[in-house]
Coordinates of all heavy atoms in Angstrom, one line a residue:
S16 N 37.2 9.6 -44.0 CA 36.1 9.7 -43.0 C 34.8 10.1 -43.8 O 33.7 9.5 -43.5 CB 36.4 10.8 -42.0 OG 37.5 10.5 -41.2
R19 N 33.5 7.0 -45.4 CA 32.8 6.1 -44.5 C 31.4 6.7 -44.1 O 30.5 5.9 -43.9 CB 33.7 6.0 -43.2 CG 34.9 5.0 -43.4 CD 35.5 4.6 -42.1 NE 35.9 5.8 -41.3 CZ 37.2 6.3 -41.4 NH1 38.1 5.7 -42.2 NH2 37.5 7.3 -40.6
L20 N 31.3 8.0 -44.0 CA 30.1 8.6 -43.6 C 29.0 8.4 -44.7 O 27.9 8.1 -44.5 CB 30.3 10.1 -43.4 CG 29.0 10.9 -43.1 CD1 28.3 10.4 -41.8 CD2 29.3 12.4 -43.0
V21 N 29.5 8.5 -46.0 CA 28.6 8.3 -47.1 C 28.1 6.9 -47.1 O 26.9 6.6 -47.3 CB 29.3 8.6 -48.5 CG1 28.4 8.2 -49.6 CG2 29.6 10.1 -48.6
S36 N 9.0 -0.1 -46.7 CA 8.4 -1.0 -47.7 C 7.7 -2.2 -47.0 O 6.6 -2.6 -47.3 CB 9.4 -1.5 -48.7 OG 8.8 -2.4 -49.7
R54 N -16.5 -8.2 -44.0 CA -17.6 -8.4 -45.0 C -18.3 -9.7 -44.7 O -19.5 -9.8 -44.9 CB -16.9 -8.5 -46.4 CG -16.6 -7.1 -47.0 CD -15.7 -7.3 -48.2 NE -15.3 -5.9 -48.7 CZ -14.2 -5.7 -49.4 NH1 -13.4 -6.7 -49.6 NH2 -13.9 -4.4 -49.8
R59 N -23.7 -11.8 -42.7 CA -24.5 -12.7 -41.8 C -25.6 -11.9 -41.1 O -26.4 -12.6 -40.4 CB -23.5 -13.3 -40.8 CG -22.5 -14.3 -41.5 CD -21.9 -15.2 -40.4 NE -20.8 -15.9 -40.9 CZ -19.5 -15.7 -40.7 NH1 -19.2 -14.7 -39.9 NH2 -18.6 -16.4 -41.2
L66 N -31.5 -3.1 -40.6 CA -32.3 -1.9 -40.7 C -32.5 -1.3 -39.3 O -32.5 -0.1 -39.2 CB -33.6 -2.2 -41.4 CG -33.6 -2.6 -42.9 CD1 -34.9 -3.0 -43.4 CD2 -33.0 -1.4 -43.7
I99 N -24.4 -0.4 -43.7 CA -25.4 0.4 -43.0 C -26.3 1.1 -44.0 O -25.8 1.6 -45.0 CB -24.7 1.4 -42.0 CG1 -25.7 2.2 -41.2 CG2 -23.8 2.4 -42.8 CD1 -25.1 3.0 -40.1
E149 N -26.6 6.9 -58.5 CA -25.6 8.0 -58.6 C -26.2 9.2 -59.4 O -26.8 9.0 -60.4 CB -24.3 7.5 -59.4 CG -23.5 6.5 -58.6 CD -22.2 6.2 -59.2 OE1 -22.1 6.3 -60.5 OE2 -21.2 5.9 -58.5
P150 N -25.9 10.4 -58.9 CA -26.4 11.6 -59.6 C -25.8 11.8 -61.0 O -24.6 11.5 -61.2 CB -26.0 12.7 -58.7 CG -24.8 12.2 -58.0 CD -25.0 10.8 -57.8
D176 N -12.0 2.5 -35.4 CA -11.5 2.3 -34.0 C -11.5 3.6 -33.2 O -11.9 4.6 -33.7 CB -10.1 1.6 -34.1 CG -9.0 2.6 -34.5 OD1 -9.2 3.8 -34.6 OD2 -7.9 2.1 -34.8
Q184 N -13.2 0.5 -48.3 CA -13.4 -0.6 -49.1 C -12.2 -1.0 -49.9 O -12.1 -2.1 -50.4 CB -14.6 -0.4 -50.1 CG -15.9 -0.2 -49.5 CD -16.5 -1.6 -49.0 OE1 -16.0 -2.6 -49.2 NE2 -17.6 -1.5 -48.2
S194 N -8.2 14.8 -50.1 CA -7.0 15.5 -50.5 C -7.4 16.6 -51.5 O -6.9 17.7 -51.4 CB -6.0 14.5 -51.2 OG -5.5 13.6 -50.2
L196 N -10.3 18.0 -51.9 CA -11.1 19.0 -51.2 C -10.2 19.9 -50.3 O -10.4 21.1 -50.2 CB -12.2 18.3 -50.3 CG -13.1 19.2 -49.5 CD1 -14.0 20.1 -50.4 CD2 -14.0 18.3 -48.6
K206 N -11.6 26.1 -43.8 CA -11.2 24.9 -43.0 C -11.9 23.7 -43.6 O -12.9 23.8 -44.3 CB -11.5 25.0 -41.6 CG -12.9 25.0 -41.2 CD -13.1 25.0 -39.7 CE -14.6 24.9 -39.3 NZ -14.8 24.9 -37.8
C217 N -20.9 -3.7 -34.9 CA -19.9 -4.7 -35.1 C -18.7 -4.2 -35.9 O -17.6 -4.9 -36.0 CB -20.5 -5.9 -35.9 SG -21.0 -5.5 -37.6

Side-chain angles (χ1 to χ4, degrees):
S16 297
R19 285 197 299 270
L20 177 60
V21 169
S36 177
R54 283 169 183 151
R59 294 193 190 106
L66 293 176
I99 185 171
E149 288 189 333
D176 70 13
Q184 294 286 352
S194 293
L196 180 64
K206 70 175 185 179
C217 65

